[in-house]
Amino acid sequence: MLRKLAIVLMLVLMPALLFAQARPIVLRLAETHPEGYPTTKGDYEFARLVKERSNGRIIIEVYAGSQLGQEKAVIEQVQFGAIDLTRVSISPMASFVPRLNAFQMPYLYRDEAHMWKVLKGDIGKELLKSLEPFGFIGLGWFESGARNFYNSKRPIRTPADLKGLKIRVQESELMMGLVAAFGAVPTPMPFGEVYSALQTGVVDGAENNWPSYFSTSHYEVAKYYTLDEHTRVPEIIVGSKISLSKLSKADQELIRQAAFDAIDYQRAEWAAYEKLARDKVVAAGCQIIEITDKTPWMELMKPLYARQSKEIQDLIEKIRAVK
Ligand code: GTR
């Protein structure tokens, strides 16, 4: 009788146990860029590494093209656990974690190599760790080139040419201050709304790197592109503290390591796409304005630096000291 009962129990419980074991942990990652964009490819590489290293136990589903919302709204949802992961620019992220502003100050990095030394070194690693009290787990960084002004009105050769132009900025106080310090009128709005705002004249211009200028087709409606390289804004991959802390410490570490290991892949994809974007934009007949002396541009940024908190000033100094 007892044996029979045991067999029946086993038959009933086994499939349930097996099923429970086989069911993967699924995490959703929100990405604003479309499929095929180098950063989205970086997300997929991150997901691939996580799947491979967890033997399929952890699956990251990438939702590209703002399917889960625009950046600021996505960050809010990550903060309260409704979205598990996202890759965003640190500009909107800095509204949630102010010290991130130190990493997007104008003309801060000497070049791309300097930025990567900072991000992959102790300063960058510490910063990723410091996001927890705000409800985020910092996982890694991606490349995003340098941002340049573009507009539909006139070629911008000096900061004075920007005067009075309505320039779209990310939803970031620092970026508003930066554009205002150049004498333009900053207009914050989500990325997805910029094309029609340019087309209808709600704004005269915006600013972004070559890949975004090209992939959004903004170059079709704002053909003056000035290579002033006012800022390098790193991209960040963050997880939701609420959702990731449900995983074991080992799995959290696996995810963190995978994000970090996807960086070089994304950077290589970025470099290739940046070149392609540049070629396409030039071929389309846009007017590209080179800036040989950035000194007058940098000068105008001094008050913005002076306004930053002590904490940010200290971080800026540390960043500059990285050789
Ligand atoms: C891009 C960045 C996006 C988004 C966008 C914007 O360079 O990769 O995440 O922040 O800029 O200007 O809104």
Side-chain angles (χ1 to χ4, degrees), residues 134-164:
F134 302 91
F136 305 101
I137 311 248
L139 300 170
W141 310 99
F142 277 170
E143 175 62 44
S144 192
R147 294 178 80 99
N148 300 306
F149 285 110
Y150 51 89
N151 82 99
S152 59
K153 298 283 180 228
R154 53 180 181 252
I156 306 297
R157 298 201 165 82
T158 68
D161 295 329
L162 277 167
K163 210 171 170 53

Coordinates of all heavy atoms in Angstrom, one line a residue, residues 134-164:
F134 N 20.1 53.7 -5.0 CA 19.1 54.4 -5.8 C 18.2 53.4 -6.5 O 17.3 53.7 -7.3 CB 19.8 55.2 -6.9 CG 20.7 56.3 -6.3 CD1 22.0 56.0 -6.2 CD2 20.2 57.6 -6.0 CE1 22.9 57.0 -5.6 CE2 21.1 58.5 -5.5 CZ 22.4 58.3 -5.3
G135 N 18.4 52.1 -6.2 CA 17.5 51.1 -6.7 C 18.0 50.4 -8.0 O 17.3 49.7 -8.7
F136 N 19.3 50.6 -8.3 CA 19.9 50.1 -9.6 C 21.1 49.2 -9.3 O 21.8 49.5 -8.3 CB 20.3 51.2 -10.5 CG 19.2 52.2 -10.8 CD1 19.1 53.4 -10.2 CD2 18.2 51.8 -11.8 CE1 18.1 54.3 -10.5 CE2 17.2 52.7 -12.1 CZ 17.1 53.9 -11.4
I137 N 21.4 48.3 -10.1 CA 22.6 47.6 -10.1 C 23.4 47.9 -11.4 O 22.9 47.6 -12.5 CB 22.4 46.0 -10.0 CG1 21.4 45.7 -9.0 CG2 23.8 45.3 -9.9 CD1 21.9 44.9 -7.8
G138 N 24.5 48.6 -11.2 CA 25.3 49.0 -12.4 C 26.1 47.8 -12.9 O 26.7 47.1 -12.1
L139 N 26.0 47.6 -14.2 CA 26.6 46.3 -14.7 C 27.7 46.6 -15.7 O 28.7 45.9 -15.7 CB 25.5 45.5 -15.5 CG 24.3 45.1 -14.6 CD1 23.2 44.5 -15.4 CD2 24.8 44.0 -13.5
G140 N 27.6 47.6 -16.5 CA 28.7 47.8 -17.5 C 28.5 49.1 -18.3 O 27.4 49.8 -18.2
W141 N 29.4 49.4 -19.2 CA 29.4 50.6 -20.0 C 29.5 50.2 -21.5 O 30.1 49.2 -21.8 CB 30.6 51.5 -19.7 CG 30.9 51.7 -18.3 CD1 31.8 51.1 -17.4 CD2 30.3 52.8 -17.4 NE1 31.8 51.7 -16.2 CE2 30.9 52.7 -16.2 CE3 29.3 53.7 -17.7 CZ2 30.5 53.5 -15.1 CZ3 29.0 54.6 -16.6 CH2 29.6 54.5 -15.4
F142 N 28.9 51.1 -22.3 CA 29.1 50.9 -23.7 C 29.6 52.2 -24.3 O 29.4 53.3 -23.7 CB 27.7 50.5 -24.4 CG 27.4 49.0 -24.4 CD1 26.1 48.6 -24.8 CD2 28.3 48.1 -24.0 CE1 25.8 47.3 -24.8 CE2 28.0 46.7 -24.0 CZ 26.7 46.3 -24.4
E143 N 30.1 52.1 -25.6 CA 30.6 53.3 -26.3 C 29.5 54.1 -26.9 O 28.5 53.5 -27.4 CB 31.6 52.8 -27.3 CG 32.2 53.9 -28.3 CD 33.0 54.9 -27.5 OE1 33.8 54.6 -26.7 OE2 32.8 56.1 -27.8
S144 N 29.7 55.4 -27.0 CA 28.6 56.2 -27.6 C 29.3 57.4 -28.4 O 28.6 58.4 -28.6 CB 27.6 56.7 -26.6 OG 26.5 57.2 -27.3
G145 N 30.5 57.3 -28.6 CA 31.2 58.4 -29.4 C 31.1 59.8 -28.8 O 31.0 59.9 -27.6
A146 N 31.3 60.8 -29.7 CA 31.2 62.2 -29.2 C 29.9 62.8 -29.8 O 29.5 62.5 -30.9 CB 32.4 62.9 -29.6
R147 N 29.3 63.7 -29.0 CA 28.1 64.4 -29.5 C 28.4 65.7 -30.2 O 29.3 66.4 -29.7 CB 27.1 64.6 -28.3 CG 26.6 63.2 -27.8 CD 25.7 63.4 -26.6 NE 24.3 63.8 -27.0 CZ 23.3 62.9 -27.0 NH1 23.5 61.7 -26.8 NH2 22.1 63.3 -27.4
N148 N 27.7 65.9 -31.2 CA 27.9 67.1 -32.1 C 26.6 67.8 -32.3 O 25.6 67.2 -32.4 CB 28.5 66.7 -33.4 CG 29.8 66.0 -33.3 OD1 30.8 66.5 -32.7 ND2 29.9 64.8 -33.8
F149 N 26.6 69.1 -32.6 CA 25.4 69.9 -32.9 C 25.0 69.7 -34.3 O 25.9 69.7 -35.2 CB 25.6 71.4 -32.6 CG 25.6 71.7 -31.1 CD1 26.7 72.1 -30.5 CD2 24.4 71.6 -30.4 CE1 26.8 72.4 -29.1 CE2 24.4 71.8 -29.0 CZ 25.6 72.2 -28.4
Y150 N 23.7 69.6 -34.5 CA 23.2 69.7 -35.9 C 21.9 70.5 -35.9 O 21.2 70.6 -34.9 CB 23.0 68.3 -36.5 CG 22.2 67.3 -35.8 CD1 20.8 67.2 -35.9 CD2 22.8 66.4 -34.9 CE1 20.1 66.3 -35.2 CE2 22.1 65.5 -34.2 CZ 20.7 65.4 -34.4 OH 20.0 64.5 -33.7
N151 N 21.6 71.1 -37.1 CA 20.4 71.9 -37.2 C 20.0 72.1 -38.6 O 20.7 71.8 -39.6 CB 20.6 73.3 -36.5 CG 21.4 74.3 -37.3 OD1 20.8 75.1 -37.9 ND2 22.7 74.1 -37.4
S152 N 18.8 72.7 -38.8 CA 18.3 72.8 -40.1 C 18.4 74.3 -40.6 O 18.0 74.6 -41.8 CB 16.8 72.5 -40.1 OG 16.1 73.3 -39.1
K153 N 19.0 75.2 -39.8 CA 19.0 76.6 -40.2 C 20.2 77.1 -40.9 O 20.2 77.7 -41.9 CB 18.8 77.4 -38.9 CG 17.5 77.2 -38.2 CD 16.4 77.9 -39.0 CE 15.0 77.7 -38.3 NZ 14.0 77.3 -39.1
R154 N 21.4 76.8 -40.3 CA 22.6 77.4 -40.8 C 23.9 76.6 -40.3 O 23.8 75.9 -39.3 CB 22.8 78.8 -40.3 CG 22.6 78.9 -38.8 CD 22.7 80.4 -38.3 NE 22.6 80.5 -36.9 CZ 21.6 81.0 -36.3 NH1 20.5 81.5 -36.9 NH2 21.5 81.1 -34.9
P155 N 25.0 76.7 -41.0 CA 26.2 76.1 -40.5 C 26.7 76.8 -39.2 O 26.7 78.0 -39.1 CB 27.2 76.3 -41.7 CG 26.6 77.2 -42.6 CD 25.2 77.5 -42.3
I156 N 27.0 76.0 -38.2 CA 27.5 76.5 -37.0 C 29.0 76.4 -37.0 O 29.6 75.3 -37.0 CB 26.9 75.7 -35.8 CG1 25.4 75.6 -35.8 CG2 27.4 76.2 -34.4 CD1 24.7 76.9 -35.7
R157 N 29.7 77.5 -37.0 CA 31.2 77.5 -37.0 C 31.8 77.9 -35.7 O 32.9 77.5 -35.3 CB 31.7 78.4 -38.1 CG 31.3 77.9 -39.5 CD 32.1 78.4 -40.6 NE 31.8 77.7 -41.8 CZ 30.8 77.9 -42.6 NH1 30.0 78.9 -42.4 NH2 30.6 77.1 -43.7
T158 N 31.0 78.8 -35.0 CA 31.5 79.3 -33.7 C 30.3 79.2 -32.7 O 29.1 79.1 -33.2 CB 31.9 80.8 -33.7 OG1 30.7 81.5 -34.0 CG2 32.9 81.0 -34.8
P159 N 30.5 79.2 -31.4 CA 29.4 79.1 -30.5 C 28.4 80.2 -30.7 O 27.2 80.0 -30.6 CB 30.1 79.2 -29.1 CG 31.5 78.8 -29.3 CD 31.8 79.1 -30.7
A160 N 28.9 81.4 -31.2 CA 28.0 82.5 -31.4 C 26.9 82.1 -32.5 O 25.8 82.6 -32.4 CB 28.7 83.7 -31.9
D161 N 27.2 81.2 -33.4 CA 26.2 80.8 -34.4 C 25.1 80.0 -33.8 O 24.0 79.9 -34.5 CB 26.9 79.9 -35.5 CG 28.0 80.7 -36.3 OD1 27.8 81.9 -36.4 OD2 29.0 80.1 -36.7
L162 N 25.3 79.5 -32.6 CA 24.2 78.8 -32.0 C 23.1 79.6 -31.3 O 22.1 79.2 -30.9 CB 24.8 77.9 -30.9 CG 25.4 76.5 -31.3 CD1 26.2 76.0 -30.1 CD2 24.3 75.5 -31.7
K163 N 23.5 80.9 -31.1 CA 22.7 81.8 -30.4 C 21.2 81.8 -30.8 O 20.9 81.9 -32.0 CB 23.2 83.2 -30.5 CG 22.9 84.0 -29.2 CD 23.6 85.4 -29.2 CE 23.1 86.2 -28.1 NZ 23.1 85.6 -26.8
G164 N 20.3 81.6 -29.9 CA 18.9 81.6 -30.2 C 18.3 80.4 -30.8 O 17.1 80.3 -30.9

